[in-house]
Amino acid sequence: MDPEIRNSGVAARGRAAVIDRILTVTGEEAQRVGPDRVRMGEVATRAGISRASLYRYFANKDELIQAYTMRELDHVFAHMDEAMEPFDSFEERLGAAFAFAITAMREHPVFVALLGIAERQIMRVTLQSGEVLGHARDLVVERMNRAVREGRIRIDQFDAAVAGELMARLVISLLATPESIARLETGDDARDFAKR
């Protein structure tokens, strides 16, 4: 293998490891002091890098919190796949996925804190940003397309991108304003709601 290619692979893995460490520290800080009080200098110190290095990875705190939020969404969706696995029909799988997403995000300390500071800039930049919404939509669409490939649903039943965005917006809306005439207190409630 060409040494330059090999070294670029090592560099990419090293960069990914640093970003992972930064985001892990960001989550710990966000849980400790709240997402709106995370300080770039403290994250850099705890991640074992200089402040200048941190700014090479993330231009500002909003970008840092947004990257952390998207990483946590990836984790939620990975576990959601496990929650759907025991079910055969698309409706049951969708219900299990919706129930898992609502429950996981309601119990995630940083998502809860982000929702609690809805009036501040950081909420708009993270959960309400087009980039985070687009990421959530893409994760939903990926699972819908898998259901099509597995023969669970037909492609002409819906536009996957529109359905994915509506589902992502619905979950964020239900989390941001939990008061609803729909019963969603338990996982069974959420599953039934999603299936209907």
Side-chain angles (χ1 to χ4, degrees), residues 127-194:
L127 290 182
Q128 293 178 340
S129 79
E131 191 170 338
V132 171
L133 178 62
H135 186 66
R137 179 197 59 234
D138 292 346
L139 291 169
V140 172
V141 169
E142 178 185 321
R143 280 141 186 90
M144 289 184 163
N145 287 334
R146 186 182 318 144
V148 169
R149 286 192 304 274
E150 293 170 352
R152 296 177 191 275
I153 51 176
R154 291 191 331 268
I155 194 69
D156 62 350
Q157 288 179 298
F158 59 85
D159 178 328
V162 171
E165 181 161 323
L166 288 173
M167 291 177 68
R169 285 182 181 274
L170 176 62
V171 169
I172 291 171
S173 172
L174 289 169
L175 291 168
T177 53
E179 296 79 23
S180 170
I181 60 171
R183 287 181 45 100
L184 296 170
E185 287 81 29
T186 69
D188 287 341
D189 292 340
R191 273 190 296 278
D192 291 343
F193 175 81

Side-chain angles (χ1 to χ4, degrees), residues 3 11 23 34 55 59 75 86 103 105-106 108 115 126 137 164-165 168 175 182 187 190-191 196:
L23 295 180
Y55 279 102
H75 290 171
T103 303
M105 293 182 76
R106 277 182 180 162
H108 193 290
L115 292 164
T126 52
R137 179 197 59 234
E165 181 161 323
L175 291 168
R191 273 190 296 278
R196 286 199 310 274

Side-chain angles (χ1 to χ4, degrees), residues 26-27 30 37 55 81 89 93 96 119 134 138 144 149 152 178:
T26 299
R37 293 196 172 134
Y55 279 102
D81 289 339
S89 77
R93 290 170 69 85
E119 297 304 313
D138 292 346
M144 289 184 163
R149 286 192 304 274
R152 296 177 191 275

